[in-house]
Amino acid sequence: MGYVIDTYLEELFDRLGGTGAAGRRALAEVEDHLRSAADEAIARGVEPIEAERTAVDRFGPSSKIAGGFQAVHNGPVALLRQAFVGCWLVAALAFVAIGLSGAIAYAFGRWFGIAFVPGDAIGSTYTLDRCADFIRFHPEAVTCAAAAAAHHFDEVVVTEPPPVCSVPAPWWRCGWHADTRRWEAPGGRRPKAP
Amino acid sequence: MELRGHLDLLLLGALAAVGPAHGYAVITALRERTDDVFDLPEGTVYPALHRLERDGLVVSQWSAEAARRRRVYRLTSVGLAALEVKSAQWEVFATGVQRVVQWAT
């Protein structure tokens, strides 16, 4: 047999995310239909590839068929799960953005000096109390401006990785499990967890 | 011919006529019975069958009689009642259309 039906089934599988067991059943029914139609055509003397192509064409576009199944089987729980996965993705991207900005700031600080990174304008002045705060955080600094720059650098580049990393990791894992529920395949095939 | 709105009636009617059948057999029976009048994408039949099952009009189970596993659908008593209602509605609709067509020609 050719690849046309297999390709179609893979497309349909991708589009049936969120339908769970009903989606697996639908996939099995569709495969039975397509292979039955192709077998009949082959028995009439049609070339196997052409038989598969005709069966798939008569069946209709996978997007339309999957949309029909989604409409039947995607209840409120599935919609809630999709909403959760969407929120999780936005939050995960936010964590990545924060991490990247910190990494870039750290690299700039290494290349151009920490005074390059903080946002205070050149010539900014600080009150004595504020200066004392900066010096308390960075007693090694020789001037108030240097202590302020070091303190601002700390604020931009997160210097305590464990607490920061501990939030995204379970967050990622939690969202991964919710998302991969959409991709459970016949035979238990499932993407590898990170 | 456009089938929108009438697919459920056709599926219930086909299942009532041929008895318990899998999707491919239902489609084949519809095609043969209507001399290919309805050019429906065959795949649209399956979501419709799933919807009918969700609504309790048909029930289904796997059958291993063929070389491949097949999902066989059977009309329920609720489905039979729905078929009668939809058939009556169709009669009214078709009669009305027929009268207008005859009037115009």
Side-chain angles (χ1 to χ4, degrees), chain A residues 25 29 33 36 59 73, chain B residues 42-43 46 50 53 70 73:
Chain A
R25 176 188 137 187
E29 287 185 89
H33 177 105
S36 296
F59 202 77
H73 296 295
Chain B
E42 294 173 353
Y46 289 91
H50 281 224
E53 184 172 20
R70 286 180 156 166
Y73 293 87

Side-chain angles (χ1 to χ4, degrees), chain A residues 66-80:
Chain A
F69 284 122
Q70 294 273 9
V72 176
H73 296 295
N74 264 0
V77 173
L79 289 176
L80 277 175

Side-chain angles (χ1 to χ4, degrees), chain B residues 22-39:
Chain B
H22 52 85
Y24 187 71
V26 170
I27 292 165
T28 305
L30 274 176
R31 192 191 309 139
E32 290 174 354
R33 182 68 181 173
T34 61
D35 293 329
D36 283 329
V37 168
F38 301 124
D39 186 22

